[in-house]
Amino acid sequence: MAIYLNDVSRTFGEYLLIPGLTSKLCVPSNISLRTPLVKYQIGSKPALRLNIPFVSAIMQSVSGPELAIELARNGGLSFIFGSQPIADQAEMVRKVKKFKAGFVVSDSNLTPEHRLADVLYLINKTGHSTIGITHDGTPNGTLLGLVTSRDFRAEKDDYNMKVKYFMTPFEKLHIGKVGVSLTEANQIIWEHKLNTLPIIDDEQKLAYFVFRKDYDNHRDNPYELSGEDKTLLVGAGINTRDFTERIPALIEAGADVFCIDSSDGYSEWQRDTLFWIKERYGDRVLVGAGNVVDREGFEYLIKAGADFVKVGIGGGSICITREQKGIGRGQATALMDVAQARNEHLEKTGVYVPICSDGGLVHDYHMVLALAMGADFLMMGRYFARFDESPTKKLRIGNNYVKEYWGEGSNRAQNWQRYDMGGTESLKFEEGVDSYVPYAGKMKDNLNITLGKVKATMCSCGAITIEELQKNAKITLVSSTSIVEGGTHDVILKEQT
């Protein structure tokens, strides 16, 4: 007969946190949510850290470039979905990396002989309102002028008017020379009240732009997740089929970290993928693997070289793997089992391997439970799909606004590679659904509320870091009656007008 595990598969909704001593230090402003993203030797620092413990799911309906930019600006990280052509995914990664680099290579350029119609087309195509005018229309041509939205009136000016007649000519521009520091460039911007500072070389060739908005954005987003080169950090999802072609293209595009996207990570396919990456690139390329739900799966993947391990099968809001295949485990039970294996591995080797909890989060307090149970960071799909920045359509159904949300295991996603078991290239049956989620508005507004709840709960547990939370949190199993007691009861709610 099969091996029978004599435990109950439990979810986050079956647990509560018991308050710890809230010291005077335990106030939200003192809470640090920094957490390691990839493995590291104790005594050294991880190559990558998150400033908040959130990453967005590797999904078509969630992790596009706009959401990746906004999440990185707020301290988290997105994994751009891999269920698309390699060139398209690489271009999405490039878009994130170009968003903020301090010194930005111009990708919106024209010549003086172009017309206003060309300017409007380029603005509409790229979304950029600053256009470098060079002698040959290239990013590094001789700088002859600059066009911004203040140089023309689209509703009145002749669309055939040539750029040279309305651009701000080079002689009237404030410029910086290659070699100027970012601090010095920003000082020039402030002194002359500029929005854009072109940086040129000794031959007057355009090298970069420095934008005032980048300085403002950094000031307004103190937890921004960026590298030494000042570019935002971004991840990319990969599969176990075309990784030999996909990974080099994504590295060239600037991806900072990878994650193998699969519903079941305890497989030789993932082992072979990890072996190939580590043999070819070593620790220069960081890659997570998963998903698993027990210590055996975790140990298998870290032995193969995984830099972090993703935990969870069947707990996602649009996932029907458990219904279709009877495969999975309650997210809380799976997480605690893998966290125990992670801690034992740490004691034996001195190497800490972060784990990511993927799925099963219904309420915001479940996030704190997941962190207390051992997760270093959380991967979420439904949470991020609701926001303006997700790549799906906003629709009105009845009196409510919603956004489309579909699983990578649905026929709509056509992501058969995620469920690859070595057979033919097709999806045999669905393991996800096509659905809607309530529209919630801008990410930043909602994220601030969620992080406020997380920090308040940590204060009640007497912890000001995630590490302290994992060491000191007290968790209790609750009965079904206790769950009912936790909601409103024995009152008549007022009608909202």
Side-chain angles (χ1 to χ4, degrees):
M1 63 175 288
I3 298 172
Y4 179 75
L5 301 182
N6 192 27
D7 65 4
V8 178
S9 190
R10 298 192 181 279
T11 66
F12 296 130
E14 297 177 76
Y15 293 92
L16 287 175
L17 291 153
I18 294 177
L21 173 63
T22 303
S23 71
K24 293 179 180 179
L25 290 175
C26 291
V27 294
S29 60
N30 286 338
I31 298 292
S32 170
L33 295 177
R34 293 198 75 194
T35 188
L37 178 65
V38 294
K39 68 183 178 184
Y40 63 98
Q41 187 80 32
I42 293 301
S44 62
K45 295 182 179 179
L48 292 177
R49 291 190 184 201
L50 300 169
N51 290 329
I52 63 171
F54 295 169
V55 299
S56 65
I58 311 170
M59 301 173 67
Q60 296 172 6
S61 55
V62 179
S63 293
E66 288 77 17
L67 189 131
I69 289 169
E70 188 64 14
L71 184 52
R73 291 175 67 197
N74 285 279
L77 182 121
S78 287
F79 288 91
I80 300 294
F81 65 92
S83 51
Q84 59 178 320
I86 294 173
D88 293 347
Q89 186 184 19
E91 186 55 35
M92 287 187 178
V93 169
R94 286 192 190 92
K95 185 172 183 179
V96 180
K97 300 304 288 186
K98 286 180 180 179
F99 175 78
K100 181 183 184 301
F103 295 99
V104 181
V105 176
S106 176
D107 57 2
S108 295
N109 306 280
L110 294 171
T111 72
E113 297 302 315
H114 278 93
R115 302 177 185 276
L116 176 57
D118 300 310
V119 171
L120 297 175
Y121 172 79
L122 193 57
I123 291 174
N124 184 61
K125 178 182 177 182
T126 65
H128 300 157
S129 58
T130 299
I131 298 174
I133 307 304
T134 59
H135 80 287
D136 59 359
T138 66
N140 301 116
T142 301
L143 182 63
L144 300 178
L146 204 64
V147 169
T148 71
S149 58
R150 292 181 297 182
D151 293 316
F152 60 86
R153 296 176 298 175
E155 68 279 4
K156 291 186 177 182
D157 291 339
D158 182 358
Y159 280 21
N160 289 316
M161 181 170 55
K162 289 188 176 182
V163 168
K164 62 184 178 182
Y165 294 122
F166 62 88
M167 71 181 187
T168 301
F170 178 82
E171 295 76 23
K172 293 186 178 181
L173 294 175
H174 293 281
I175 55 94
K177 287 292 187 75
V178 170
V180 67
S181 71
L182 187 58
T183 300
E184 291 168 336
N186 281 322
Q187 186 61 34
I188 295 172
I189 288 173
W190 279 101
E191 286 179 356
H192 298 284
K193 300 180 180 180
L194 308 174
N195 288 322
T196 307
L197 179 70
I199 307 296
I200 61 171
D201 65 13
D202 292 335
E203 297 179 353
Q204 198 177 313
K205 293 186 181 297
L206 177 61
Y208 309 104
F209 284 136
V210 177
F211 293 100
R212 181 191 185 100
K213 66 180 178 63
D214 284 346
Y215 177 88
D216 293 337
N217 285 339
H218 182 71
R219 181 194 62 197
D220 295 337
N221 295 280
Y223 299 118
E224 184 175 273
L225 193 66
S226 58
E228 293 182 358
D229 61 357
K230 305 301 182 183
T231 62
L232 299 178
L233 298 189
V234 61
I238 57 175
N239 60 66
T240 57
R241 283 272 182 159
D242 65 8
F243 59 91
T244 58
E245 295 85 28
R246 190 174 292 269
I247 289 176
L250 293 171
I251 291 174
E252 191 276 331
D256 298 286
V257 61
F258 299 94
C259 185
I260 303 173
D261 183 28
S262 174
S263 65
D264 180 7
Y266 191 8
S267 75
E268 292 184 347
W269 308 109
Q270 288 217 13
R271 178 202 62 187
D272 292 347
T273 303
L274 289 167
F275 278 174
W276 184 87
I277 294 171
K278 293 305 179 180
E279 287 174 0
R280 186 178 180 92
Y281 298 102
D283 291 333
R284 291 182 293 116
V285 170
L286 304 169
V287 56
N291 287 18
V292 299
V293 292
D294 62 10
R295 66 172 50 240
E296 287 81 6
F298 171 80
E299 291 168 353
Y300 185 82
L301 292 178
I302 60 172
K303 186 177 180 181
D307 292 296
F308 67 85
V309 175
K310 202 142 65 79
V311 178
I313 295 178
S317 60
I318 41 73
C319 183
I320 54 174
T321 295
R322 296 180 192 175
E323 294 178 24
Q324 293 283 53
K325 296 167 62 177
I327 295 290
R329 197 177 193 187
Q331 187 66 9
T333 302
L335 185 56
M336 289 187 284
D337 190 15
V338 173
Q340 181 62 35
R342 187 266 315 281
N343 294 342
E344 292 174 6
H345 178 77
L346 173 63
E347 292 177 6
K348 292 178 183 177
T349 67
V351 176
Y352 188 89
V353 182
I355 55 178
C356 170
S357 180
D358 179 15
L361 301 172
V362 179
H363 303 292
D364 287 352
Y365 81 89
H366 289 173
M367 299 175 186
V368 187
L369 274 168
L371 295 171
M373 289 175 177
D376 296 282
F377 55 98
L378 317 174
M379 179 172 279
M380 297 181 289
R382 178 191 60 84
Y383 179 85
F384 290 112
R386 304 172 301 146
F387 302 146
D388 285 324
E389 295 82 1
S390 74
T392 61
K393 296 178 181 178
K394 173 185 169 184
L395 306 171
R396 181 168 181 171
I397 298 181
N399 293 323
N400 300 310
Y401 284 101
V402 298
K403 293 206 75 177
E404 294 180 299
Y405 181 46
W406 61 91
E408 290 297 296
S410 66
N411 278 321
R412 179 172 182 173
Q414 296 183 342
N415 187 12
W416 62 268
Q417 295 96 334
R418 190 176 197 270
Y419 303 87
D420 181 22
M421 302 186 73
T424 57
E425 300 183 2
S426 63
L427 189 66
K428 300 298 188 298
F429 54 87
E430 291 187 287
E431 293 187 42
V433 299
D434 196 344
S435 61
Y436 301 109
V437 289
Y439 168 68
K442 294 185 180 299
M443 177 196 295
K444 191 176 185 68
D445 296 339
N446 289 273
L447 195 58
N448 285 338
I449 294 172
T450 296
L451 293 175
K453 292 180 183 178
V454 169
K455 290 180 179 181
T457 305
M458 288 176 64
C459 288
S460 294
C461 292
I464 61 173
T465 67
I466 293 173
E467 185 178 9
E468 283 187 12
L469 180 71
Q470 293 171 346
K471 289 180 178 178
N472 302 327
K474 295 178 288 186
I475 301 173
T476 182
L477 193 65
V478 298
S479 68
S480 57
T481 305
S482 295
I483 294 173
V484 173
E485 181 186 49
T488 56
H489 58 90
D490 300 328
V491 295
I492 300 172
L493 295 179
K494 295 181 179 178
E495 291 186 7
Q496 300 297 318
T497 58

